[in-house]
Amino acid sequence: MSAQKILNREGLKQRVAAWRRAGESITLTNGCFDLLHVGHVRYLHAAKQLGGRLIVAINSDDSVLALKGEGRPLMPADERAEILSALADVDAVVIFPERDVQALIREIRPDVHAKGTDYTADTVPERDVVAEAFAVRVNQLLAVDGLLVLQLQEHLGG
């Protein structure tokens, strides 16, 4: 089942079109999800509660390296996608090569773009495209308990 959730960009566009024809709304969230922890799980559950189908866009290995630096990602993108696709709250996973999801937002036009509290309205990288005439609502999800990836790396000796 989870393999059917991992889609390329074209497959995602087709799936979104089918969901829209069925009257479903689309929530998009994104990130590196380099080392999945309970905070991620709670965040994704909160994003799913915003309604409709939840799409998780994950940064490609090259974009994680560009964003996070040497030694990252800790896990390859296909493994990160497989883990995320196994979560019940996640309806689709797509890997994107860009540093942010502006192009993907333009392509699928989600109803909601969910971001964590590590961003503010001024620091969301996709704020300009979200502000365009797409009527996309940005929801900032409340902070959740859980260790940060850097804390986990230190704890695991990474």
Side-chain angles (χ1 to χ4, degrees):
M1 171 77 177
S2 64
Q4 297 171 344
K5 291 182 181 181
I6 302 170
L7 304 169
N8 61 26
R9 291 281 263 271
E10 190 55 39
L12 179 64
K13 287 190 266 188
Q14 292 173 12
R15 184 80 49 93
V16 166
W19 287 335
R20 288 202 188 285
R21 283 192 299 275
E24 300 191 62
S25 64
I26 308 298
T27 297
L28 173 69
T29 192
N30 66 284
C32 297
F33 297 98
D34 198 13
L35 186 56
L36 196 66
H37 56 79
V38 70
H40 287 128
V41 174
R42 292 173 182 164
Y43 168 80
L44 293 170
H45 181 71
K48 178 68 174 180
Q49 301 310 303
L50 296 172
R53 298 293 187 148
L54 177 60
I55 299 168
V56 180
I58 64 170
N59 293 80
S60 69
D61 293 342
D62 288 341
S63 66
V64 172
L65 175 63
L67 290 166
K68 303 288 186 176
E70 199 62 39
R72 302 286 294 274
L74 302 174
M75 276 198 262
D78 59 338
E79 290 180 17
R80 291 181 278 131
E82 184 176 346
I83 291 168
L84 287 165
S85 71
L87 298 176
D89 287 321
V90 175
D91 295 297
V93 178
V94 64
I95 299 167
F96 67 98
E98 300 91 352
R99 291 174 68 106
D100 61 49
V101 290
Q102 291 187 46
L104 187 60
I105 290 171
R106 286 187 179 101
E107 290 170 21
I108 66 169
R109 295 180 166 205
D111 300 289
V112 178
H113 183 211
K115 297 298 282 186
T117 56
D118 47 337
Y119 291 98
T120 67
D122 293 330
T123 63
V124 171
E126 304 83 15
R127 70 186 171 282
D128 293 337
V129 71
V130 168
E132 291 175 5
F134 293 145
V136 176
R137 186 175 86 238
V138 176
N139 272 66
Q140 186 179 38
L141 300 175
L142 295 176
V144 293
D145 293 332
L147 298 173
L148 297 171
V149 170
L150 291 175
Q151 291 171 318
L152 281 172
Q153 280 183 269
E154 290 172 12
H155 178 72
L156 296 173

